[in-house]
Amino acid sequence: MFTSLELGTEPPNLPRQPFRFVLYFLKFYWVALLVMLLMEIGQATCQILIPYAVKEIIDLGSQLHGTFAEALAQLKPAIVLFIALSIGILVFSRISGGLLVMTGPSLRRRVRYSIYHYLQYHSQKFFISHFAGSLANRVSEVSMGVNHVLWTILFDFVPVTVTFSVSLFLLYKANAELAWLLGAWVLFYIVTSFVLAIRCKGYAKKWAATRSTVTGKIVDSVTNVLNTKLFARLNYERKYLADYLNLEVKTARKTLWYMEGMRWFQFIATMALQVAMIIMAMHFWITGKMSVGSFAMVTSLALLIINEARGLSRRFLDFFEYVGNVADGVSIIVRPHEVVDLSAAKPIVVKEGKVEYDHVTFKYDDKAKPVFSNLSVTIEPGQRIGLVGFSGSGKTSFVNLILRMYDLQSGMIRIDGQDISQCTQDSLREQISMIPQEPMLFHRSLMDNIRYGSIGATDDDVIAAAKAARAHEFIMELPEKYESLVGERGVKLSGGQRQRIAIARAILKNAPILMLDEATSSLDSVTEKAIQSSLETLMKNRTVIVVAHRLSTISYLDRILVFHQGEVIEDGNHDELLRRNGHYARLWRMQVGGFLPESETPSVVTEREA
């Protein structure tokens, strides 16, 4: 289990190099891994010494004399050695296996948790740029990759190293020429296999990236399956997915054909060794330079070494495939965070809720046009502010910057005189309740979704918030009531029901600053009117910022900021702005069905103003 320190708020300092990334997690399990290493060395040593024990039995057996009991006495040392080695294989392997059972799942859990922990601190821009399904797939593949890299080293490379080393020693004792032959072959084989496998790493990384992309495309298509049905695009989506699946097959074949080429090298090299070892061993045996037991040992060792060598190429390929998976995930996820807390950042303290934009300049990308240039706005404590303007005028950016979803290029945003860039992000967002236009719900119970506003709230608190948001009635009509699961992103609920859950969550959070992004747009007029009193109660004694497309919903607010191309071109209450007969008055006249059009078009303006 994780300690409270390991579950802390600071993101882990994960290395960006794949091998260093793997080594980073060794410090948590070094004792168990060290014991497993020793056990694997012991097991491999016992395994490769079995042919030596058989050699001793054969050599002693060829010289037996006397009764059966006397013969057994003569064979006793060799038999005891054989039994001891067999028991050693059993004990060492099962101790190592038990430690693997204890360590493996824990290691995978830690890797997944650490990557997810790091992933959480990426900016909104990062998540907009990457498929959620692709990121989830990379988290899974990296965690599996770290495990497989370690286990390949521990259970494959270490035993093979022991096998080759002990085999060379035993062969040297039996015949130095055979030992030199094997040593030269092993050196050539390992170096060649390693070089070929390193080249395979690039293929493996591309294959892993393609798999993650395909997973992301599948998740995206499944998430939007309703759109697929509504537009009768089932065939189109299958074809769209088929193109990416074909790309995955193409990438996979490049990797697998390369691996197949390595196997040709492997089989030819091991066949040559096998033939050479057996012919030379037969020569030394026939010429009397080697005993029958030594010949049996050499034959057995040759077969063992060839079997291990054939497996070594596969292990190299698997190893660099796992490294490629780790490298792909790390290169995407473990990159510098764009919005970070300063080392000296302190929790923000909000008592009044005064918000100040002080000469703010902001753009989403270095090459993009600035959204705001030298913007200054002051929102007094307790003021209820409406933001209006065409799409792209800067309303949503204004709200996102207060939440510090992005960092500024210049200027400052202050809350109660505190620069939000100098405060911790968590403490800032704890002081703000946000009700978005598209409510974000977890596939959890309604109780859990509402309680997300205040994790320590009681069931009675949750129910009270639901009643205030006019959500209690429809919840009680559900079969499992507050324990009902809402489905992925809340798909089991209607748009209005999801919105009411979001409002209940904000009511429960009870933060001093409240922001609403067209929070009642998904509600019918009857329900909107019913919860309007709840919203007015929620707004009392709070600084409120409302993004509106339906201007009638903000006409009662204290103040309205009219945005146009990143500038606040008008500022006042509803009546004042109408009397000015400026941009806001024109927007009011342009209302179609109570909503603003996406943009100002000459035809619409002429028709409305005629």
Short mmCIF file of all heavy atoms in Angstrom, two decimals, residues 554-609:
data_model
loop_
_atom_site.label_atom_id
_atom_site.label_comp_id
_atom_site.label_asym_id
_atom_site.label_seq_id
_atom_site.Cartn_x
_atom_site.Cartn_y
_atom_site.Cartn_z
N ILE A 554 -29.07 37.26 -18.07
CA ILE A 554 -28.14 38.10 -17.31
C ILE A 554 -28.64 39.54 -17.17
O ILE A 554 -27.95 40.40 -16.64
CB ILE A 554 -26.74 38.13 -17.98
CG1 ILE A 554 -26.85 38.74 -19.38
CG2 ILE A 554 -26.12 36.75 -18.02
CD1 ILE A 554 -25.52 39.10 -19.99
N SER A 555 -29.83 39.78 -17.64
CA SER A 555 -30.34 41.16 -17.62
C SER A 555 -30.50 41.70 -16.20
O SER A 555 -30.51 42.91 -16.00
CB SER A 555 -31.67 41.23 -18.37
OG SER A 555 -32.63 40.38 -17.75
N TYR A 556 -30.64 40.81 -15.21
CA TYR A 556 -30.84 41.23 -13.83
C TYR A 556 -29.52 41.41 -13.06
O TYR A 556 -29.52 41.81 -11.90
CB TYR A 556 -31.71 40.20 -13.09
CG TYR A 556 -31.05 38.86 -12.93
CD1 TYR A 556 -30.34 38.52 -11.78
CD2 TYR A 556 -31.11 37.92 -13.96
CE1 TYR A 556 -29.72 37.30 -11.65
CE2 TYR A 556 -30.51 36.69 -13.84
CZ TYR A 556 -29.81 36.38 -12.67
OH TYR A 556 -29.20 35.16 -12.55
N LEU A 557 -28.38 41.12 -13.70
CA LEU A 557 -27.10 41.18 -13.00
C LEU A 557 -26.67 42.62 -12.75
O LEU A 557 -27.16 43.56 -13.37
CB LEU A 557 -26.02 40.43 -13.80
CG LEU A 557 -26.25 38.93 -14.00
CD1 LEU A 557 -25.13 38.32 -14.82
CD2 LEU A 557 -26.37 38.20 -12.66
N ASP A 558 -25.70 42.77 -11.82
CA ASP A 558 -25.26 44.11 -11.46
C ASP A 558 -24.52 44.81 -12.59
O ASP A 558 -24.57 46.04 -12.71
CB ASP A 558 -24.31 44.03 -10.24
CG ASP A 558 -24.95 43.33 -9.06
OD1 ASP A 558 -26.17 43.50 -8.88
OD2 ASP A 558 -24.24 42.61 -8.33
N ARG A 559 -23.84 44.01 -13.42
CA ARG A 559 -22.94 44.61 -14.38
C ARG A 559 -22.72 43.64 -15.53
O ARG A 559 -22.70 42.42 -15.34
CB ARG A 559 -21.62 44.92 -13.67
CG ARG A 559 -20.54 45.61 -14.47
CD ARG A 559 -19.35 45.84 -13.55
NE ARG A 559 -18.14 46.19 -14.25
CZ ARG A 559 -16.91 46.06 -13.73
NH1 ARG A 559 -16.77 45.59 -12.51
NH2 ARG A 559 -15.86 46.41 -14.44
N ILE A 560 -22.57 44.19 -16.73
CA ILE A 560 -22.37 43.35 -17.91
C ILE A 560 -21.13 43.87 -18.66
O ILE A 560 -21.01 45.07 -18.93
CB ILE A 560 -23.60 43.38 -18.84
CG1 ILE A 560 -24.81 42.78 -18.13
CG2 ILE A 560 -23.31 42.63 -20.14
CD1 ILE A 560 -26.11 42.95 -18.88
N LEU A 561 -20.21 42.95 -18.97
CA LEU A 561 -19.02 43.27 -19.76
C LEU A 561 -19.26 42.76 -21.18
O LEU A 561 -19.53 41.57 -21.38
CB LEU A 561 -17.77 42.62 -19.18
CG LEU A 561 -17.43 42.96 -17.72
CD1 LEU A 561 -16.14 42.24 -17.31
CD2 LEU A 561 -17.28 44.45 -17.53
N VAL A 562 -19.15 43.66 -22.13
CA VAL A 562 -19.38 43.29 -23.53
C VAL A 562 -18.02 43.09 -24.20
O VAL A 562 -17.23 44.03 -24.31
CB VAL A 562 -20.19 44.37 -24.26
CG1 VAL A 562 -20.48 43.92 -25.69
CG2 VAL A 562 -21.49 44.66 -23.52
N PHE A 563 -17.76 41.86 -24.65
CA PHE A 563 -16.48 41.51 -25.28
C PHE A 563 -16.62 41.57 -26.80
O PHE A 563 -17.63 41.15 -27.38
CB PHE A 563 -16.05 40.10 -24.87
CG PHE A 563 -15.45 40.02 -23.50
CD1 PHE A 563 -16.26 39.97 -22.37
CD2 PHE A 563 -14.08 40.00 -23.33
CE1 PHE A 563 -15.71 39.89 -21.12
CE2 PHE A 563 -13.51 39.91 -22.07
CZ PHE A 563 -14.33 39.86 -20.95
N HIS A 564 -15.54 42.05 -27.42
CA HIS A 564 -15.46 42.03 -28.89
C HIS A 564 -13.98 41.95 -29.28
O HIS A 564 -13.20 42.85 -28.98
CB HIS A 564 -16.11 43.28 -29.48
CG HIS A 564 -16.16 43.27 -30.98
ND1 HIS A 564 -16.93 42.37 -31.68
CD2 HIS A 564 -15.51 44.04 -31.92
CE1 HIS A 564 -16.77 42.59 -32.98
NE2 HIS A 564 -15.92 43.58 -33.16
N GLN A 565 -13.62 40.81 -29.88
CA GLN A 565 -12.24 40.58 -30.33
C GLN A 565 -11.23 40.81 -29.21
O GLN A 565 -10.19 41.44 -29.39
CB GLN A 565 -11.93 41.48 -31.53
CG GLN A 565 -12.77 41.15 -32.75
CD GLN A 565 -12.41 42.00 -33.95
OE1 GLN A 565 -11.58 42.90 -33.86
NE2 GLN A 565 -13.03 41.72 -35.09
N GLY A 566 -11.54 40.26 -28.04
CA GLY A 566 -10.61 40.30 -26.92
C GLY A 566 -10.58 41.59 -26.14
O GLY A 566 -9.75 41.75 -25.24
N GLU A 567 -11.49 42.49 -26.42
CA GLU A 567 -11.54 43.75 -25.69
C GLU A 567 -12.91 43.92 -25.03
O GLU A 567 -13.92 43.46 -25.56
CB GLU A 567 -11.30 44.94 -26.63
CG GLU A 567 -9.91 44.96 -27.26
CD GLU A 567 -9.71 46.18 -28.14
OE1 GLU A 567 -10.60 47.07 -28.13
OE2 GLU A 567 -8.69 46.23 -28.84
N VAL A 568 -12.92 44.60 -23.89
CA VAL A 568 -14.18 44.97 -23.24
C VAL A 568 -14.56 46.33 -23.80
O VAL A 568 -13.96 47.35 -23.45
CB VAL A 568 -14.04 45.01 -21.71
CG1 VAL A 568 -15.35 45.48 -21.08
CG2 VAL A 568 -13.64 43.64 -21.17
N ILE A 569 -15.55 46.32 -24.68
CA ILE A 569 -15.88 47.57 -25.37
C ILE A 569 -17.04 48.32 -24.71
O ILE A 569 -17.26 49.49 -25.00
CB ILE A 569 -16.21 47.31 -26.86
CG1 ILE A 569 -17.38 46.34 -26.99
CG2 ILE A 569 -14.99 46.76 -27.58
CD1 ILE A 569 -17.86 46.17 -28.43
N GLU A 570 -17.78 47.63 -23.84
CA GLU A 570 -18.85 48.28 -23.08
C GLU A 570 -18.93 47.67 -21.69
O GLU A 570 -18.65 46.47 -21.52
CB GLU A 570 -20.21 48.15 -23.79
CG GLU A 570 -20.30 48.94 -25.08
CD GLU A 570 -21.65 48.81 -25.74
OE1 GLU A 570 -22.51 48.05 -25.24
OE2 GLU A 570 -21.85 49.48 -26.77
N ASP A 571 -19.33 48.49 -20.72
CA ASP A 571 -19.37 48.05 -19.33
C ASP A 571 -20.49 48.80 -18.62
O ASP A 571 -20.50 50.03 -18.58
CB ASP A 571 -18.01 48.34 -18.67
CG ASP A 571 -17.94 47.82 -17.23
OD1 ASP A 571 -18.98 47.40 -16.68
OD2 ASP A 571 -16.82 47.86 -16.67
N GLY A 572 -21.47 48.07 -18.10
CA GLY A 572 -22.58 48.70 -17.38
C GLY A 572 -23.67 47.69 -17.14
O GLY A 572 -23.55 46.51 -17.51
N ASN A 573 -24.78 48.14 -16.50
CA ASN A 573 -25.88 47.21 -16.30
C ASN A 573 -26.76 47.18 -17.56
O ASN A 573 -26.55 47.94 -18.51
CB ASN A 573 -26.68 47.55 -15.05
CG ASN A 573 -27.35 48.91 -15.12
OD1 ASN A 573 -27.82 49.33 -16.18
ND2 ASN A 573 -27.39 49.61 -14.00
N HIS A 574 -27.75 46.32 -17.52
CA HIS A 574 -28.57 46.07 -18.70
C HIS A 574 -29.24 47.35 -19.21
O HIS A 574 -29.16 47.68 -20.41
CB HIS A 574 -29.62 45.01 -18.36
CG HIS A 574 -30.63 44.77 -19.43
ND1 HIS A 574 -30.35 44.12 -20.61
CD2 HIS A 574 -31.96 45.11 -19.51
CE1 HIS A 574 -31.43 44.05 -21.36
NE2 HIS A 574 -32.43 44.65 -20.72
N ASP A 575 -29.89 48.09 -18.31
CA ASP A 575 -30.62 49.29 -18.72
C ASP A 575 -29.68 50.36 -19.27
O ASP A 575 -29.98 51.02 -20.28
CB ASP A 575 -31.42 49.85 -17.53
CG ASP A 575 -32.54 48.91 -17.12
OD1 ASP A 575 -33.03 48.14 -17.99
OD2 ASP A 575 -32.92 48.91 -15.93
N GLU A 576 -28.51 50.52 -18.60
CA GLU A 576 -27.54 51.51 -19.06
C GLU A 576 -27.05 51.18 -20.47
O GLU A 576 -26.95 52.08 -21.34
CB GLU A 576 -26.35 51.58 -18.11
CG GLU A 576 -26.68 52.16 -16.74
CD GLU A 576 -25.53 52.01 -15.76
OE1 GLU A 576 -24.55 51.28 -16.08
OE2 GLU A 576 -25.60 52.61 -14.68
N LEU A 577 -26.76 49.95 -20.69
CA LEU A 577 -26.22 49.55 -21.99
C LEU A 577 -27.26 49.69 -23.10
O LEU A 577 -26.93 50.04 -24.25
CB LEU A 577 -25.70 48.11 -21.92
CG LEU A 577 -24.50 47.88 -21.00
CD1 LEU A 577 -24.13 46.41 -20.96
CD2 LEU A 577 -23.30 48.71 -21.45
N LEU A 578 -28.51 49.42 -22.79
CA LEU A 578 -29.55 49.60 -23.79
C LEU A 578 -29.72 51.08 -24.14
O LEU A 578 -29.92 51.45 -25.31
CB LEU A 578 -30.88 49.03 -23.30
CG LEU A 578 -31.01 47.50 -23.29
CD1 LEU A 578 -32.40 47.10 -22.81
CD2 LEU A 578 -30.74 46.91 -24.66
N ARG A 579 -29.62 51.94 -23.12
CA ARG A 579 -29.77 53.38 -23.37
C ARG A 579 -28.64 53.92 -24.24
O ARG A 579 -28.84 54.86 -25.03
CB ARG A 579 -29.83 54.15 -22.04
CG ARG A 579 -31.17 54.03 -21.32
CD ARG A 579 -31.31 55.08 -20.23
NE ARG A 579 -30.30 54.94 -19.20
CZ ARG A 579 -30.47 54.19 -18.09
NH1 ARG A 579 -31.61 53.51 -17.91
NH2 ARG A 579 -29.52 54.15 -17.19
N ARG A 580 -27.45 53.31 -24.12
CA ARG A 580 -26.32 53.77 -24.94
C ARG A 580 -26.52 53.43 -26.42
O ARG A 580 -25.87 54.02 -27.29
CB ARG A 580 -25.01 53.12 -24.46
CG ARG A 580 -24.59 53.59 -23.08
CD ARG A 580 -23.30 52.89 -22.68
NE ARG A 580 -22.99 53.09 -21.26
CZ ARG A 580 -21.97 52.52 -20.62
NH1 ARG A 580 -21.17 51.69 -21.29
NH2 ARG A 580 -21.77 52.75 -19.35
N ASN A 581 -27.38 52.45 -26.67
CA ASN A 581 -27.67 52.04 -28.05
C ASN A 581 -26.39 51.67 -28.82
O ASN A 581 -26.23 52.02 -29.99
CB ASN A 581 -28.43 53.15 -28.79
CG ASN A 581 -29.14 52.60 -30.03
OD1 ASN A 581 -29.51 51.43 -30.06
ND2 ASN A 581 -29.28 53.45 -31.04
N GLY A 582 -25.49 50.97 -28.12
CA GLY A 582 -24.22 50.57 -28.74
C GLY A 582 -24.22 49.09 -29.11
O GLY A 582 -25.24 48.53 -29.56
N HIS A 583 -23.08 48.46 -28.89
CA HIS A 583 -22.88 47.06 -29.29
C HIS A 583 -23.84 46.13 -28.54
O HIS A 583 -24.43 45.22 -29.13
CB HIS A 583 -21.43 46.65 -29.03
CG HIS A 583 -21.03 45.37 -29.70
ND1 HIS A 583 -20.80 45.28 -31.05
CD2 HIS A 583 -20.84 44.12 -29.21
CE1 HIS A 583 -20.47 44.03 -31.36
NE2 HIS A 583 -20.48 43.31 -30.26
N TYR A 584 -23.99 46.33 -27.24
CA TYR A 584 -24.87 45.46 -26.45
C TYR A 584 -26.31 45.59 -26.93
O TYR A 584 -27.02 44.59 -27.07
CB TYR A 584 -24.78 45.81 -24.96
CG TYR A 584 -25.70 44.98 -24.09
CD1 TYR A 584 -25.35 43.68 -23.72
CD2 TYR A 584 -26.92 45.48 -23.65
CE1 TYR A 584 -26.19 42.91 -22.93
CE2 TYR A 584 -27.77 44.73 -22.87
CZ TYR A 584 -27.40 43.44 -22.51
OH TYR A 584 -28.23 42.68 -21.73
N ALA A 585 -26.74 46.83 -27.17
CA ALA A 585 -28.11 47.03 -27.65
C ALA A 585 -28.32 46.32 -28.98
O ALA A 585 -29.39 45.74 -29.24
CB ALA A 585 -28.40 48.53 -27.79
N ARG A 586 -27.32 46.35 -29.82
CA ARG A 586 -27.42 45.65 -31.11
C ARG A 586 -27.50 44.13 -30.89
O ARG A 586 -28.28 43.44 -31.54
CB ARG A 586 -26.23 46.01 -31.98
CG ARG A 586 -26.33 45.39 -33.37
CD ARG A 586 -25.33 46.02 -34.32
NE ARG A 586 -23.98 45.95 -33.79
CZ ARG A 586 -22.94 46.57 -34.34
NH1 ARG A 586 -23.12 47.33 -35.41
NH2 ARG A 586 -21.73 46.44 -33.83
N LEU A 587 -26.69 43.61 -29.94
CA LEU A 587 -26.75 42.18 -29.62
C LEU A 587 -28.14 41.81 -29.10
O LEU A 587 -28.68 40.76 -29.44
CB LEU A 587 -25.70 41.82 -28.56
CG LEU A 587 -24.24 41.95 -28.95
CD1 LEU A 587 -23.35 41.61 -27.77
CD2 LEU A 587 -23.91 41.05 -30.13
N TRP A 588 -28.70 42.67 -28.30
CA TRP A 588 -30.02 42.41 -27.73
C TRP A 588 -31.07 42.32 -28.85
O TRP A 588 -31.94 41.45 -28.83
CB TRP A 588 -30.37 43.53 -26.74
CG TRP A 588 -31.70 43.35 -26.05
CD1 TRP A 588 -32.88 43.93 -26.39
CD2 TRP A 588 -31.96 42.53 -24.91
NE1 TRP A 588 -33.87 43.54 -25.53
CE2 TRP A 588 -33.33 42.66 -24.60
CE3 TRP A 588 -31.17 41.69 -24.11
CZ2 TRP A 588 -33.94 42.01 -23.54
CZ3 TRP A 588 -31.78 41.04 -23.05
CH2 TRP A 588 -33.13 41.19 -22.78
N ARG A 589 -30.96 43.21 -29.84
CA ARG A 589 -31.91 43.18 -30.94
C ARG A 589 -31.66 41.99 -31.87
O ARG A 589 -32.57 41.56 -32.59
CB ARG A 589 -31.82 44.50 -31.74
CG ARG A 589 -32.31 45.71 -30.98
CD ARG A 589 -32.47 46.91 -31.91
NE ARG A 589 -31.20 47.35 -32.48
CZ ARG A 589 -30.43 48.27 -31.90
NH1 ARG A 589 -30.79 48.83 -30.74
NH2 ARG A 589 -29.31 48.65 -32.48
N MET A 590 -30.43 41.51 -31.87
CA MET A 590 -30.08 40.38 -32.76
C MET A 590 -30.49 39.03 -32.19
O MET A 590 -30.35 38.01 -32.87
CB MET A 590 -28.56 40.35 -33.01
CG MET A 590 -28.07 41.48 -33.89
SD MET A 590 -26.27 41.52 -33.93
CE MET A 590 -25.92 39.95 -34.69
N GLN A 591 -30.98 39.02 -30.95
CA GLN A 591 -31.34 37.74 -30.33
C GLN A 591 -32.32 36.98 -31.21
O GLN A 591 -33.35 37.50 -31.63
CB GLN A 591 -31.99 37.99 -28.98
CG GLN A 591 -31.05 38.52 -27.91
CD GLN A 591 -30.48 37.40 -27.06
OE1 GLN A 591 -31.08 36.34 -26.91
NE2 GLN A 591 -29.31 37.62 -26.50
N VAL A 592 -31.96 35.73 -31.50
CA VAL A 592 -32.83 34.86 -32.29
C VAL A 592 -33.25 33.72 -31.38
O VAL A 592 -32.43 32.91 -30.97
CB VAL A 592 -32.09 34.30 -33.53
CG1 VAL A 592 -33.01 33.36 -34.31
CG2 VAL A 592 -31.60 35.45 -34.40
N GLY A 593 -34.54 33.69 -31.03
CA GLY A 593 -35.00 32.65 -30.11
C GLY A 593 -34.38 32.78 -28.75
O GLY A 593 -34.27 31.80 -28.01
N GLY A 594 -33.93 33.99 -28.41
CA GLY A 594 -33.35 34.19 -27.08
C GLY A 594 -31.87 33.98 -27.04
O GLY A 594 -31.25 34.21 -26.02
N PHE A 595 -31.22 33.54 -28.13
CA PHE A 595 -29.79 33.28 -28.15
C PHE A 595 -29.10 34.17 -29.17
O PHE A 595 -29.70 34.57 -30.17
CB PHE A 595 -29.49 31.81 -28.50
CG PHE A 595 -29.86 30.85 -27.42
CD1 PHE A 595 -31.12 30.29 -27.37
CD2 PHE A 595 -28.94 30.50 -26.44
CE1 PHE A 595 -31.46 29.39 -26.38
CE2 PHE A 595 -29.27 29.60 -25.45
CZ PHE A 595 -30.54 29.05 -25.42
N LEU A 596 -27.82 34.41 -28.91
CA LEU A 596 -27.02 35.15 -29.89
C LEU A 596 -26.63 34.23 -31.04
O LEU A 596 -26.38 33.05 -30.83
CB LEU A 596 -25.75 35.68 -29.25
CG LEU A 596 -25.88 36.89 -28.33
CD1 LEU A 596 -24.53 37.19 -27.71
CD2 LEU A 596 -26.37 38.10 -29.10
N PRO A 597 -26.54 34.76 -32.26
CA PRO A 597 -25.96 33.96 -33.35
C PRO A 597 -24.46 33.80 -33.12
O PRO A 597 -23.88 34.46 -32.26
CB PRO A 597 -26.24 34.80 -34.59
CG PRO A 597 -26.34 36.20 -34.08
CD PRO A 597 -26.95 36.10 -32.71
N GLU A 598 -23.84 32.89 -33.88
CA GLU A 598 -22.42 32.61 -33.70
C GLU A 598 -21.56 33.83 -34.02
O GLU A 598 -20.53 34.06 -33.40
CB GLU A 598 -21.99 31.43 -34.59
CG GLU A 598 -22.49 30.09 -34.11
CD GLU A 598 -21.89 29.72 -32.77
OE1 GLU A 598 -20.66 29.85 -32.61
OE2 GLU A 598 -22.65 29.33 -31.88
N SER A 599 -21.95 34.60 -35.02
CA SER A 599 -21.15 35.75 -35.41
C SER A 599 -22.07 36.82 -35.98
O SER A 599 -23.24 36.58 -36.29
CB SER A 599 -20.10 35.35 -36.45
OG SER A 599 -20.74 34.86 -37.61
N GLU A 600 -21.51 38.00 -36.09
CA GLU A 600 -22.26 39.12 -36.64
C GLU A 600 -22.17 39.09 -38.16
O GLU A 600 -21.09 39.18 -38.73
CB GLU A 600 -21.68 40.43 -36.10
CG GLU A 600 -22.45 41.66 -36.54
CD GLU A 600 -21.88 42.92 -35.91
OE1 GLU A 600 -20.82 42.82 -35.26
OE2 GLU A 600 -22.49 43.97 -36.06
N THR A 601 -23.32 38.94 -38.82
CA THR A 601 -23.35 38.93 -40.29
C THR A 601 -24.14 40.13 -40.79
O THR A 601 -25.11 40.56 -40.17
CB THR A 601 -24.01 37.64 -40.82
OG1 THR A 601 -25.35 37.59 -40.32
CG2 THR A 601 -23.26 36.41 -40.35
N PRO A 602 -23.74 40.67 -41.91
CA PRO A 602 -24.41 41.86 -42.43
C PRO A 602 -25.90 41.66 -42.63
O PRO A 602 -26.71 42.53 -42.32
CB PRO A 602 -23.70 42.13 -43.76
CG PRO A 602 -22.35 41.51 -43.58
CD PRO A 602 -22.57 40.31 -42.73
N SER A 603 -26.28 40.45 -43.12
CA SER A 603 -27.69 40.22 -43.40
C SER A 603 -28.52 40.27 -42.14
O SER A 603 -29.62 40.82 -42.12
CB SER A 603 -27.87 38.87 -44.10
OG SER A 603 -27.38 37.84 -43.27
N VAL A 604 -27.99 39.69 -41.07
CA VAL A 604 -28.72 39.66 -39.81
C VAL A 604 -28.83 41.06 -39.23
O VAL A 604 -29.88 41.50 -38.78
CB VAL A 604 -28.03 38.71 -38.81
CG1 VAL A 604 -28.70 38.82 -37.44
CG2 VAL A 604 -28.10 37.29 -39.31
N VAL A 605 -27.72 41.78 -39.26
CA VAL A 605 -27.72 43.13 -38.70
C VAL A 605 -28.72 44.01 -39.45
O VAL A 605 -29.50 44.73 -38.85
CB VAL A 605 -26.31 43.75 -38.80
CG1 VAL A 605 -26.35 45.19 -38.33
CG2 VAL A 605 -25.35 42.95 -37.94
N THR A 606 -28.70 43.93 -40.77
CA THR A 606 -29.60 44.77 -41.57
C THR A 606 -31.06 44.45 -41.27
O THR A 606 -31.89 45.33 -41.10
CB THR A 606 -29.31 44.55 -43.07
OG1 THR A 606 -27.96 44.85 -43.33
CG2 THR A 606 -30.20 45.43 -43.93
N GLU A 607 -31.33 43.14 -41.17
CA GLU A 607 -32.71 42.72 -40.95
C GLU A 607 -33.20 43.19 -39.58
O GLU A 607 -34.33 43.66 -39.45
CB GLU A 607 -32.78 41.19 -41.05
CG GLU A 607 -34.19 40.65 -40.79
CD GLU A 607 -34.19 39.13 -40.82
OE1 GLU A 607 -33.22 38.55 -41.35
OE2 GLU A 607 -35.16 38.53 -40.33
N ARG A 608 -32.34 43.09 -38.57
CA ARG A 608 -32.78 43.43 -37.22
C ARG A 608 -32.85 44.94 -37.02
O ARG A 608 -33.62 45.42 -36.20
CB ARG A 608 -31.82 42.81 -36.21
CG ARG A 608 -31.82 41.29 -36.21
CD ARG A 608 -33.18 40.74 -35.83
NE ARG A 608 -33.21 39.29 -35.96
CZ ARG A 608 -34.31 38.54 -35.86
NH1 ARG A 608 -35.47 39.13 -35.63
NH2 ARG A 608 -34.24 37.26 -35.99
N GLU A 609 -31.96 45.64 -37.70
CA GLU A 609 -31.89 47.07 -37.43
C GLU A 609 -32.76 47.88 -38.40
O GLU A 609 -32.91 49.09 -38.27
CB GLU A 609 -30.45 47.56 -37.54
CG GLU A 609 -29.58 46.97 -36.43
CD GLU A 609 -28.18 47.52 -36.45
OE1 GLU A 609 -27.80 48.12 -37.48
OE2 GLU A 609 -27.47 47.37 -35.47
#
